[in-house]
Amino acid sequence: MATLPRAAAAAAPSPAAALLPLPRAAPLLAGRAAARSAARRLRARGTRAPPLAAARRGWGGVSPRAVLDLPRRREAAEKPAQKAADLNEILSERGACGVGFVANLKNEPSFNIVRDALVALGCMEHRGGCGADNDSGDGSGLMSGIPWDLFNDWANKQGLAPLDRTNTGVGMVFLPQDENSMEEAKAVVAKVFTDEGLEVLGWRTVPFNVSVVGRYAKETMPNIQQIFVKVAKEDNADDIERELYICRKLIERATKSASWADELYFCSLSSRTIVYKGMLRSEILGQFYLDLQNELYKSPFAIYHRRYSTNTSPRWPLAQPMRLLGHNGEINTIQGNLNWMRSREATLQSPVWRGREHEIRPFGDPKASDSANLDSTAELLLRSGRSPAEAMMILVPEAYKNHPTLSIKYPEVIDFYDYYKGQMEAWDGPALLLFSDGRTVGACLDRNGLRPARYWRTSDDFVYVASEVGVIPMDESKVVMKGRLGPGMMITVDLQTGQVLENTEVKKSVASANPYGSWLQQSTRSIKPVNFQSSVAMDNETVLRHQQAFGYSSEDVQMVIETMASQGKEPTFCMGDDIPLAVLSQKPHMLFDYFKQRFAQVTNPAIDPLREGLVMSLEVNIGKRRNILEVGPENADQVTLSSPVLNEGELESLLNDSKLKPKVLSTYFDIRKGLDGSLDKAIKVLCDEADAAVRNGSQLLVLSDRSEALEPTRPAIPILLAVGAIHQHLIQNGLRMSASIVADTAQCFSTHQFACLIGYGASAVCPYLALETCRQWRLSNKTVNLMRNGKMPTVTIEQAQRNFIKAVKSGLLKILSKMGISLLSSYCGAQIFEIYGLGQEVVDLAFCGSVSKIGGLTLDELGRETLSFWVKAFSEDTAKRLENFGFIQSRPGGEYHANNPEMSKLLHKAVREKSDNAYTVYQQHLASRPVNVLRDLLELKSDRAPIPIGKVEPATSIVERFCTGGMSLGAISRETHEAIAIAMNRIGGKSNSGEGGEDPIRWSPLADVEDGYSPTLPHLKGLQNGDTATSAIKQVASGRFGVTPTFLVNAEQIEIKIAQGAKPGEGGQLPGKKVSAYIARLRNSKPGVPLISPPPHHDIYSIEDLAQLIYDLHQINPKAKVSVKLVAEAGIGTVASGVSKGNADIIQISGHDGGTGASPISSIKHAGGPWELGLSETHQTLIQNGLRERVVLRVDGGFRSGLDVLMAAAMGADEYGFGSVAMIATGCIRSQDVHSNGPVLDETILADPDISDAIENEKEVSKTFPIYNVDRAVCGRVAGVIAKKFTGSAGQSFGCFLTPGMNIRLIGEANDYVGKGMAGGELVVVPVEKTGFVPEDAAIVFVRGKTGERFAVRNSLGQAVVEGTGDHCCEYMTGGCVVVLGKVGRNVAAGMTGGLAYILDEDDTLVPKVNKEIVKMQRVNAPAGQMQLKGLIEAYVEKTGSEKGATILREWEAYLPLFWQLVPPSEEDSPEACAEFERVLAKQATTVQSAK
């Protein structure tokens, strides 16, 4: 029997599947026959290109390449000359990890330190990943001091003199596998050292045990040797390190063209440190390298690292630590960072290099990982004379703006950051960085604190830092200090002096080295805000002509610009994007429409721009960026802008700044001699002008399309093309750091357009036509009348412009945040986009390094598209009003929409009549539509004879692979939600609960149906006995509403929603008016209180967090499959590989055209990619990495027919999702054996006869178990009335998904995600009895001690008492009560819509830390509130024995006035918050009585 094509069978694209070409010369051809067929098909559909567009729709001149065959990297021959970083290369390596260090404060080398580091590394195994063979690790490694005793023992046996510890460098080298290549490589290495005047003392083969290496790792394993060299010509230790650094760079240059160049790699080359690493699992590292078992291997410190690479063919060199850093995280701005570092190469100079700077270039390598590039930049700063701490502060600055502590106590630290803000763009993204140069060991955390880090110090002079506590067995009585690294914090250990410096001490010492504050005062200028114009600059006809010429439509003006001007926020829309990609459209599009914003998923989180905006900034510096290796006042000679959006007056201020020597470049091209070649010629002239201006000292290039009068034969160059081309040209010519680019343009009015311009190199934009449009709108008779009649809020002409710019700035923050980027200065030039529909010629000219998978327009075709708008301004028959292109809303004569009224009508008819004929008409309607999606360009072809239909897999079996989309109850009605679930259960498919829980009444089959009605579900008809309304797939989304243990155990599948196709990287909101009593009950919240799903999934900040959540869900419901929902984008295959290694059972790829509730138009239109590309890439990447058989691949996005299912099957999908079309059908019209995690402690608990007896017979029992950090998700699998005790350090997710009646006590400490998803029960954590420190000062998570960041995030009913928290406490809380008996971090109660918080404020520092957007602060005046607070503290003291709690109770009268109560509006009238509650109650009763 033939079955639907299975993914595994599609390992290679079938030659029989002839692929059709994209219009506009996209390289998807599979021969001429296919091209003819496509042309016929397009003609048959009646698609006609407008005359101006005709010439751009040729098929010719394209290399044949199948759409399914997506190469990971372009061939070298295709590479342009530019130096810009290539996103394809960057995307192929991403990762996350577990890290830590051990250091001795007396600088005494010992073997025990190495052994402890290896033990700790072994405890990090769950934070790493494994290849398809379940044995090859993604990488682990160890950096230490050089073990001189070990090497002298070797030298002695070789007959060599003892090594001189001060002048000997040791290189740990990966050499080519092939013996001949290895000898060649060794000869080149030795020659470089000799030429540099160094003496090669000898090579040592590193002893190893190959039997412990996994199969994949063994295939790529290098020859591993050490080289010893004597640096006789230098005496200074820093000069020796510099000399070794130069040698390594010279070796890289000398071997660049060798066939084995990629196989030669120095893990380290230093006289102080050495790195042992490889593609090994953590517990294997010490078994593989025999040196690490040798007691002669002694070091005073060790940094260890376990890598989790999302790419599953990791390379040995990419294991960590690197040469200076161990990095857990991801640099989101890496492409921009690499481009800017390349641009700096010409200007970097320092006396320490003695004129040899040219020999150490290039700085950065797109083929290496983000960690390797950050390491090489840090190493450059270090070798140029900076300390490790200073280098980290420059590269990964904290969020220092509006920081109460820094601004009051440490202003010099703020000055340091302000000074370097204009010199070096931050390497932005989640990061825990450990670093050492052999003299200092330290750790720092990114500005968001999105990676866990703990530290502790013992009485015998050891300091430990780790991603988790409990990684090393510890005598708690010796611990004298404990802490956690919060956002932006740092700790350093000076091995020579034994000093341990915590955060502000380190930073103060670095910042005090130079008078940064006075330099800023004397050299940095800021542009003062200039008032908006209060009258129009053009008459109505001129404005209209400009709008037509520059591509505006009536939708752009009315739905986008006017909404922003009147409301100060972006317009929203719903149902998703159902129009063709710009390259497939029959309508001309602005260049911006060919770009899609990239977004964070899995390997790094989105940021929350609303609730956690304190870490974000739109500030940007204008002017020359000088030599960063030197410090001085001249480097501060720049202009600071508070945002990149300028009005006309602010642009004028910049143009009047004589120090900048501004140069205005006009951006028009001349078509009098014909269109072909004219745009290319104009761009070349523009680049030459820019080049000359910068060489003549201009520090500001203003690209302007402003002109006195528009001319028919001089259209404007698309401003994005002009900005990108000049940006790339200046990079290529080493001039980019010398000047800033500002766009003065009519072609920019939406947030996406601003983001594109900034992302491709503009520092600021003056949108003069958009501002003029705002002014014209405000003065129009229609607007004046609406405001006069109260139909629209009254705004002045200045307010309208201010509102527009406010909306743009909010939209920019959202676009940055969806990629996890905090700073606009890091986003500038970072090219965080992918391109759909531009040819390589255009990409190489202006967008070099961006991914453009499907090819597309040439420059001449782009010129024609530009001209098709331009001519509208000069045509006699052009209407006297703007055309409506129908890109947003469907309209006759406008753009084609897939969800059109005709389609809905035909589908309804087929469903209502249950008629094959009616369904055939619906299918014919779909088949005759214009080309709408990429799959419309494909035809299924076969060279085999047809088979009888009886031999094909029956439809009843195929539909079992169908699923419906995750639509939440509330977003759609209860009737629709339940009808879809019952229908899917009847056919054996699966419906999806969406976010927000599920009514338990739906979990049991109906047995009370009569005449199609059931009293259980009285609002439905047509029911049958045996029907169930349960959704087989239960969703865990970022809000985690309604996710209870019972909800999870009733799931057949559990879906983790990482992102939504229609708005990836963003959250959602259910307005308060939609939160009925029924929905509130399901979501454990309050009726009428809005429910917000934050943009980041607060359970997932990294790939290892995702693996942990999958593990937790498998624990709570071992029978359920866990799926992970991703959204198509370039690099999705790499991400999916990581998800597969995280033990997901199903991976879902959503297309950008999925439906959604209300979302910003720019998000719906400009983020996410087509599922055809995402699915193909995912399928092939999983096959390449041997992971395809591990997972089921599901796809969704715009599915409307059986043909869509067949296309998806051919591209590799196993299951198929229907979203919008399922809703339309119901009548809603547009409204496997894997990497084992080792033994599980819960199994030990459940095997205990007393416990199983207690669960069986509902008895009470008390037990004590030892627990270690490798025991994760403890009690996730256990339920019943049990009081349990654990002793030790608990792993992640301790006590997750507890149920009522389950009581746990932990003596010790715990790691992240304690009590995740608790639905009841009790969880107590107390320190061990005899500690050498005060527990209330430590980072013992939960209860008697401090908690970390985001404590009680999304708490809906829980009650908690703790003795201190990190930043963002009580974020998104919707109910319950939290008491904090100590200090809290910043941004308390952001997004808190329900529940109460009581915070003790002993030193009067709380007020500036509270986010007062929603909550109000008051003292605890209500008697019921005082009773609640005291009762919780009494219960807390009884459970934990807390001394702090006991003191508060003893001196209650003195402490009560020091508590603040945080009250959201929904709690203002509660007895606990309202001091006059009784009086209010009485008043309400009187009102009710009188109403009767």
Side-chain angles (χ1 to χ4, degrees):
M1 176 179 283
T3 63
L4 200 57
R6 275 256 332 154
S14 160
L19 302 168
L20 300 179
L22 273 181
R24 309 193 189 175
L28 302 184
L29 305 186
R32 291 177 187 165
R36 284 198 298 274
S37 160
R40 279 200 306 274
R41 187 163 174 229
L42 285 172
R43 281 197 295 275
R45 289 178 166 185
T47 45
R48 286 196 185 88
L52 272 166
R56 58 194 168 127
R57 302 204 179 273
W59 310 114
V62 193
S63 60
R65 188 192 295 161
V67 69
L68 303 185
D69 179 23
L70 304 174
R72 299 287 281 283
R73 300 201 176 123
R74 285 180 287 148
E75 296 303 309
E78 292 182 35
K79 282 274 172 71
Q82 278 102 324
K83 299 182 189 174
D86 189 334
L87 184 61
N88 268 317
E89 294 178 333
I90 291 165
L91 287 178
S92 63
E93 284 296 346
R94 295 155 99 176
C97 335
V99 290
F101 75 64
V102 187
N104 177 264
L105 295 177
K106 293 177 180 165
N107 206 15
E108 293 171 352
S110 81
F111 176 63
N112 287 345
I113 287 175
V114 178
R115 191 170 53 203
D116 278 354
L118 290 172
V119 167
L121 185 59
C123 289
M124 292 286 178
E125 181 56 35
H126 56 275
R127 296 191 84 92
C130 271
D133 58 1
N134 287 331
D135 202 7
S136 300
D138 286 355
S140 62
L142 183 131
M143 177 204 286
S144 73
I146 293 176
W148 293 111
D149 291 356
L150 176 71
F151 293 155
N152 273 322
D153 181 62
W154 165 79
N156 186 34
K157 288 173 181 166
Q158 300 296 311
L160 298 172
L163 302 170
D164 178 347
R165 298 187 180 198
T166 50
N167 285 57
T168 304
V170 184
M172 181 79 165
V173 196
F174 288 163
L175 292 158
Q177 286 181 325
D178 175 70
E179 285 296 318
N180 293 335
S181 301
M182 180 180 78
E183 291 307 323
E184 274 181 50
K186 285 172 71 172
V188 174
V189 169
K191 182 177 186 308
V192 170
F193 281 127
T194 309
D195 291 352
E196 271 291 294
L198 276 63
E199 181 189 348
V200 177
L201 301 174
W203 288 87
R204 173 179 184 257
T205 302
V206 178
F208 55 78
N209 173 10
V210 76
S211 67
V212 297
V213 180
R215 177 166 56 90
Y216 288 158
K218 204 175 292 180
E219 286 170 10
T220 55
M221 184 178 142
N223 276 301
I224 307 170
Q225 297 198 14
Q226 286 159 344
I227 184 169
F228 295 82
V229 293
K230 186 163 188 184
V231 191
K233 62 179 183 177
E234 303 288 355
D235 294 325
N236 179 293
D238 288 335
D239 286 336
I240 290 171
E241 289 296 301
R242 241 184 307 276
E243 179 56 52
L244 293 170
Y245 176 77
I246 290 172
C247 287
R248 198 187 79 229
K249 287 287 193 175
L250 292 173
I251 290 165
E252 287 168 10
R253 283 183 156 207
T255 59
K256 195 163 66 175
S257 56
S259 58
W260 40 260
D262 286 347
E263 295 182 71
L264 174 68
Y265 173 80
F266 277 79
C267 303
S268 57
L269 176 60
S270 169
S271 61
R272 297 177 187 154
T273 59
I274 190 163
V275 174
Y276 282 72
K277 66 181 186 180
M279 227 173 104
L280 307 160
R281 289 188 293 117
S282 13
E283 63 221 43
I284 297 302
L285 183 75
Q287 298 171 35
F288 174 74
Y289 284 113
L290 303 182
D291 284 352
L292 298 179
Q293 300 169 26
N294 191 323
E295 300 211 352
L296 289 173
Y297 194 122
K298 295 174 187 171
S299 170
F301 78 95
I303 291 178
Y304 54 89
H305 188 284
R306 171 66 164 111
R307 185 165 190 249
Y308 189 139
S309 159
T310 47
N311 179 350
T312 1
S313 32
R315 312 201 297 273
W316 280 70
L318 292 180
Q320 294 193 45
M322 295 295 171
R323 293 154 186 144
L324 178 69
L325 303 175
H327 172 218
N328 170 11
E330 179 158 344
I331 303 300
N332 300 323
T333 51
I334 184 67
Q335 197 170 359
N337 294 126
L338 284 171
N339 283 348
W340 291 118
M341 284 308 295
R342 293 279 175 92
S343 309
R344 277 190 182 91
E345 287 178 6
T347 59
L348 289 183
Q349 289 176 316
S350 170
V352 301
W353 294 111
R354 302 170 191 170
R356 302 186 67 181
E357 287 86 352
H358 62 285
E359 295 178 46
I360 57 176
R361 296 175 192 142
F363 310 126
D365 175 7
K367 292 181 184 173
S369 63
D370 55 342
S371 306
N373 280 298
L374 177 61
D375 182 78
S376 72
T377 307
E379 192 182 21
L380 172 69
L381 291 174
L382 200 70
R383 300 290 167 243
S384 301
R386 304 301 174 89
S387 70
E390 186 177 5
M392 291 298 102
M393 286 172 67
I394 293 170
L395 297 172
V396 191
E398 66 183 307
Y400 63 96
K401 297 276 179 186
N402 308 315
H403 194 302
T405 312
L406 288 181
S407 52
I408 296 164
K409 294 184 179 175
Y410 305 100
E412 65 271 55
V413 176
I414 291 182
D415 292 337
F416 174 91
Y417 287 132
D418 267 334
Y419 173 83
Y420 276 107
K421 175 185 64 141
Q423 309 304 308
M424 168 67 78
E425 58 296 332
W427 292 60
D428 202 359
L432 166 58
L433 292 157
L434 273 63
F435 51 85
S436 180
D437 61 352
R439 295 188 297 199
T440 300
V441 188
C444 65
L445 200 56
D446 69 276
R447 64 198 296 116
N448 288 305
L450 295 175
R451 291 291 183 269
R454 313 289 188 79
Y455 61 86
W456 58 105
R457 179 180 178 174
T458 59
S459 55
D460 51 359
D461 289 320
F462 283 90
V463 173
Y464 302 84
V465 169
S467 295
E468 297 189 4
V469 292
V471 291
I472 297 172
M474 184 67 57
D475 179 349
E476 288 291 333
S477 64
K478 286 185 175 177
V479 177
V480 295
M481 175 182 85
K482 274 196 180 187
R484 70 173 217 303
L485 286 183
M489 287 169 65
M490 184 183 289
I491 182 173
T492 62
V493 176
D494 187 322
L495 294 172
Q496 290 168 314
T497 64
Q499 258 192 318
V500 179
L501 294 180
E502 291 184 79
N503 196 33
T504 44
E505 301 166 299
V506 189
K507 290 170 181 170
K508 187 174 181 182
S509 68
V510 169
S512 305
N514 288 299
Y516 296 109
S518 60
W519 289 348
L520 288 165
Q521 268 182 325
Q522 74 189 60
S523 300
T524 303
R525 300 140 355 249
S526 59
I527 292 287
K528 301 283 180 288
V530 178
N531 289 337
F532 291 93
Q533 293 182 15
S534 54
S535 60
V536 291
M538 307 177 189
D539 59 41
N540 286 2
E541 192 179 330
T542 310
V543 170
L544 176 64
R545 179 172 284 195
H546 273 76
Q547 289 170 339
Q548 289 170 327
F550 288 108
Y552 288 44
S553 76
S554 62
E555 284 185 322
D556 296 327
V557 171
Q558 291 164 16
M559 295 186 71
V560 180
I561 299 174
E562 291 178 7
T563 303
M564 291 159 80
S566 62
Q567 299 175 14
K569 58 186 182 192
E570 279 189 273
T572 56
F573 200 62
C574 65
M575 288 299 283
D577 187 20
D578 59 350
I579 66 170
L581 290 169
V583 71
L584 300 180
S585 171
Q586 297 303 314
K587 305 274 181 191
H589 277 259
M590 291 176 80
L591 180 57
F592 301 104
D593 291 353
Y594 293 83
F595 291 78
K596 294 277 191 184
Q597 300 155 19
R598 292 183 51 72
F599 47 90
Q601 51 182 349
V602 180
T603 50
N604 61 317
I607 298 171
D608 187 337
L610 290 175
R611 310 300 174 198
E612 298 187 11
L614 80 165
V615 300
M616 301 188 75
S617 169
L618 292 177
E619 278 192 4
V620 64
N621 281 33
I622 300 279
K624 185 171 185 174
R625 293 205 267 176
R626 291 175 170 77
N627 176 13
I628 197 169
L629 299 187
E630 292 288 294
V631 290
E634 62 282 354
N635 282 20
D637 189 3
Q638 293 176 330
V639 176
T640 299
L641 304 179
S642 61
S643 109
V645 190
L646 304 173
N647 65 23
E648 295 94 338
E650 287 154 357
L651 176 63
E652 195 63 32
S653 299
L654 274 180
L655 290 172
N656 291 334
D657 190 308
S658 57
K659 284 189 175 180
L660 290 176
K661 294 186 184 167
K663 173 74 175 173
V664 178
L665 302 174
S666 181
T667 57
Y668 285 90
F669 65 111
D670 193 328
I671 57 169
R672 279 175 296 190
K673 293 181 181 173
L675 182 63
D676 288 0
S678 59
L679 187 55
D680 187 30
K681 184 178 166 190
I683 289 283
K684 287 190 167 67
V685 169
L686 192 63
C687 288
D688 289 343
E689 286 179 3
D691 195 295
V694 175
R695 291 185 195 277
N696 287 330
S698 176
Q699 297 184 29
L700 174 62
L701 301 175
V702 177
L703 308 189
S704 178
D705 53 31
R706 213 187 278 249
S707 79
E708 289 299 314
L710 305 179
E711 297 175 39
T713 55
R714 288 188 70 238
I717 297 170
I719 192 69
L720 180 57
L721 187 72
V723 166
I726 288 177
H727 175 64
Q728 297 291 351
H729 175 86
L730 295 177
I731 289 177
Q732 192 177 347
N733 289 283
L735 297 171
R736 188 63 187 90
M737 305 311 285
S738 300
S740 298
I741 299 171
V742 168
D744 174 34
T745 182
Q747 303 171 53
C748 185
F749 54 81
S750 81
T751 54
H752 172 69
Q753 293 164 352
F754 281 94
C756 287
L757 289 171
I758 294 163
Y760 285 99
S763 293
V765 180
C766 175
Y768 68 85
L769 184 58
L771 292 172
E772 181 67 13
T773 304
C774 292
R775 294 191 285 265
Q776 186 202 41
W777 163 78
R778 174 57 185 84
L779 294 177
S780 69
N781 290 335
K782 183 181 173 187
T783 307
V784 170
N785 287 332
L786 284 169
M787 289 182 181
R788 188 180 295 142
N789 298 331
K791 301 271 176 68
M792 181 185 283
T794 302
V795 295
T796 64
I797 192 166
E798 293 87 359
Q799 271 176 313
Q801 297 168 81
R802 191 173 295 111
N803 279 349
F804 173 79
I805 286 182
K806 177 188 170 192
V808 171
K809 293 198 299 201
S810 302
L812 280 173
L813 287 173
K814 178 174 276 193
I815 290 168
L816 265 65
S817 70
K818 72 172 68 165
M819 187 59 195
I821 293 171
S822 309
L823 302 170
L824 186 101
S825 53
S826 296
Y827 188 83
C828 182
Q831 303 185 194
I832 316 272
F833 296 87
E834 49 201 82
I835 300 171
Y836 292 96
L838 297 181
Q840 204 58 49
E841 169 197 16
V842 179
V843 175
D844 290 347
L845 176 70
F847 314 112
C848 186
S850 291
V851 168
S852 181
K853 284 259 171 75
I854 57 175
L857 270 68
T858 63
L859 264 180
D860 287 341
E861 288 168 348
L862 186 55
R864 274 190 192 82
E865 187 138 81
T866 305
L867 190 59
S868 68
F869 288 123
W870 194 256
V871 296
K872 288 190 169 95
F874 305 97
S875 170
E876 288 299 319
D877 57 355
T878 301
K880 291 300 175 195
R881 59 178 187 198
L882 279 178
E883 190 178 337
N884 182 340
F885 302 143
F887 289 157
I888 300 174
Q889 289 178 314
S890 181
R891 60 178 296 281
E895 180 63 277
Y896 175 78
H897 284 252
N899 292 329
N900 56 69
E902 178 70 7
M903 187 275 291
S904 301
K905 198 164 70 184
L906 293 173
L907 178 59
H908 280 147
K909 188 173 184 204
V911 170
R912 200 167 49 245
E913 296 179 5
K914 300 181 182 171
S915 148
D916 283 352
N917 289 341
Y919 186 71
T920 304
V921 174
Y922 166 71
Q923 284 180 304
Q924 284 167 348
H925 167 80
L926 293 178
S928 61
R929 70 185 180 187
V931 170
N932 185 53
V933 285
L934 290 181
R935 59 187 177 279
D936 288 348
L937 298 164
L938 308 181
E939 278 183 352
L940 294 167
K941 293 237 174 138
S942 174
D943 51 6
R944 293 170 302 210
I947 58 171
I949 197 80
K951 288 193 174 180
V952 177
E953 180 179 3
T956 51
S957 162
I958 293 173
V959 295
E960 288 175 1
R961 302 188 208 165
F962 289 4
C963 311
T964 54
M967 296 170 280
S968 68
L969 179 60
I972 60 174
S973 70
R974 182 178 177 183
E975 291 81 354
T976 305
H977 208 273
E978 291 173 3
I980 290 174
I982 290 168
M984 293 307 285
N985 289 335
R986 280 188 190 172
I987 66 170
K990 299 176 191 70
S991 67
N992 188 316
S993 68
E995 181 170 17
E998 193 171 73
D999 193 337
I1001 207 167
R1002 294 170 61 174
W1003 297 338
S1004 306
L1006 296 176
D1008 56 1
V1009 178
E1010 286 184 23
D1011 299 330
Y1013 288 90
S1014 157
T1016 310
L1017 302 172
H1019 42 280
L1020 298 181
K1021 58 187 180 184
L1023 296 169
Q1024 302 167 3
N1025 278 319
D1027 277 344
T1028 53
T1030 186
S1031 299
I1033 304 170
K1034 309 268 195 274
Q1035 194 180 75
V1036 180
S1038 67
R1040 223 207 286 132
F1041 299 116
V1043 177
T1044 61
T1046 45
F1047 172 77
L1048 295 171
V1049 296
N1050 279 285
E1052 193 179 312
Q1053 284 184 14
I1054 302 172
E1055 176 182 278
I1056 300 169
K1057 176 179 162 188
I1058 297 290
Q1060 184 174 330
K1063 48 172 182 181
E1066 294 189 37
Q1069 182 164 347
L1070 195 62
K1073 62 177 183 283
K1074 281 195 169 187
V1075 183
S1076 63
Y1078 179 66
I1079 287 172
R1081 173 165 66 81
L1082 299 186
R1083 298 193 180 201
N1084 297 321
S1085 63
K1086 285 192 169 187
V1089 175
L1091 297 175
I1092 303 163
S1093 299
H1097 198 307
H1098 281 301
D1099 294 325
I1100 304 165
Y1101 297 123
S1102 63
I1103 187 79
E1104 64 263 32
D1105 285 347
L1106 175 65
Q1108 177 64 41
L1109 181 57
I1110 293 169
Y1111 181 85
D1112 297 340
L1113 296 173
H1114 276 138
Q1115 291 300 308
I1116 182 84
N1117 186 347
K1119 292 180 186 153
K1121 302 276 189 215
V1122 176
S1123 69
V1124 175
K1125 181 178 180 182
L1126 306 172
V1127 176
E1129 65 174 329
I1132 184 76
T1134 302
V1135 174
S1137 295
V1139 172
S1140 168
K1141 291 179 339 189
N1143 291 344
D1145 304 294
I1146 299 143
I1147 294 175
Q1148 178 162 337
I1149 306 295
S1150 293
H1152 70 100
D1153 47 359
T1156 178
S1159 298
I1161 289 177
S1162 67
S1163 304
I1164 293 175
K1165 292 282 179 192
H1166 302 299
W1171 63 252
E1172 294 93 335
L1173 294 177
L1175 171 63
S1176 307
E1177 182 185 332
T1178 300
H1179 174 58
Q1180 288 168 35
T1181 308
L1182 291 171
I1183 287 172
Q1184 285 165 12
N1185 293 321
L1187 295 168
R1188 183 61 187 85
E1189 292 301 317
R1190 280 191 182 190
V1191 291
V1192 167
L1193 266 187
R1194 182 184 295 154
V1195 65
D1196 78 319
F1199 274 65
R1200 289 180 180 84
S1201 69
L1203 184 61
D1204 289 339
V1205 171
L1206 284 175
M1207 289 289 186
M1211 293 180 211
D1214 304 311
E1215 294 186 354
Y1216 317 91
F1218 296 82
S1220 302
V1221 77
M1223 281 170 57
I1224 291 168
T1226 61
C1228 277
I1229 318 240
R1230 291 185 76 81
S1231 163
Q1232 299 115 353
D1233 196 13
V1234 291
H1235 171 198
S1236 161
N1237 281 291
V1240 176
L1241 181 58
D1242 278 27
E1243 288 170 0
T1244 312
I1245 295 165
L1246 289 169
D1248 185 294
D1250 295 342
I1251 284 177
S1252 54
D1253 176 56
I1255 292 172
E1256 192 67 34
N1257 300 306
E1258 298 189 8
K1259 296 179 182 173
E1260 288 204 12
V1261 63
S1262 182
K1263 289 274 174 178
T1264 300
F1265 297 91
I1267 185 169
Y1268 305 97
N1269 84 302
V1270 291
D1271 295 317
R1272 298 175 295 139
V1274 170
C1275 294
R1277 209 182 274 186
V1278 184
V1281 188
I1282 308 168
K1284 290 206 189 129
K1285 253 192 331 201
F1286 299 89
T1287 311
S1289 297
Q1292 294 162 293
S1293 303
F1294 179 70
C1296 64
F1297 304 117
L1298 281 194
T1299 55
M1302 207 168 157
N1303 304 333
I1304 303 181
R1305 184 178 181 85
L1306 169 65
I1307 301 170
E1309 56 201 331
N1311 283 295
D1312 26 345
Y1313 302 120
V1314 168
K1316 179 194 291 182
M1318 272 179 82
E1322 183 180 275
L1323 203 158
V1324 178
V1325 182
V1326 295
V1328 294
E1329 294 294 313
K1330 294 173 184 166
T1331 59
F1333 62 102
V1334 181
E1336 285 73 13
D1337 292 344
I1340 305 164
V1341 176
F1342 220 32
V1343 189
R1344 190 177 169 192
K1346 284 184 184 170
T1347 68
E1349 271 58 54
R1350 298 176 183 83
F1351 177 69
V1353 64
R1354 296 171 309 187
N1355 178 31
S1356 55
L1357 285 174
Q1359 298 189 321
V1361 184
V1362 297
E1363 304 202 2
T1365 77
D1367 292 354
H1368 317 299
C1369 176
C1370 300
E1371 191 174 31
Y1372 287 110
M1373 199 161 122
T1374 57
C1377 181
V1378 169
V1379 179
V1380 185
L1381 308 179
K1383 281 192 183 299
V1384 292
R1386 300 158 79 187
N1387 204 35
V1388 179
M1392 177 177 168
T1393 54
L1396 292 170
Y1398 299 90
I1399 301 176
L1400 180 63
D1401 184 16
E1402 293 179 271
D1403 58 358
D1404 211 18
T1405 57
L1406 179 65
V1407 176
K1409 295 177 180 175
V1410 175
N1411 183 322
K1412 301 176 191 70
E1413 181 192 1
I1414 298 175
V1415 301
K1416 70 174 186 182
M1417 296 178 69
Q1418 62 186 35
R1419 295 298 183 182
V1420 190
N1421 296 320
Q1426 295 175 1
M1427 284 168 59
Q1428 181 185 36
L1429 173 60
K1430 191 172 186 181
L1432 279 169
I1433 298 174
E1434 284 170 346
Y1436 166 71
V1437 171
E1438 183 189 331
K1439 295 285 182 188
T1440 65
S1442 162
E1443 290 172 18
K1444 179 74 175 276
T1447 304
I1448 291 169
L1449 292 174
R1450 270 198 312 275
E1451 301 169 33
W1452 182 245
E1453 297 303 321
Y1455 273 96
L1456 180 60
L1458 302 178
F1459 277 95
W1460 286 101
Q1461 186 183 48
L1462 306 188
V1463 186
S1466 64
E1467 305 286 352
E1468 282 178 358
D1469 294 335
S1470 67
E1472 290 80 12
C1474 180
E1476 299 177 342
F1477 177 70
E1478 299 296 335
R1479 195 161 63 78
V1480 172
L1481 210 59
K1483 188 178 176 186
Q1484 285 173 348
T1486 310
T1487 309
V1488 171
Q1489 201 64 38
S1490 60
K1492 289 178 180 174

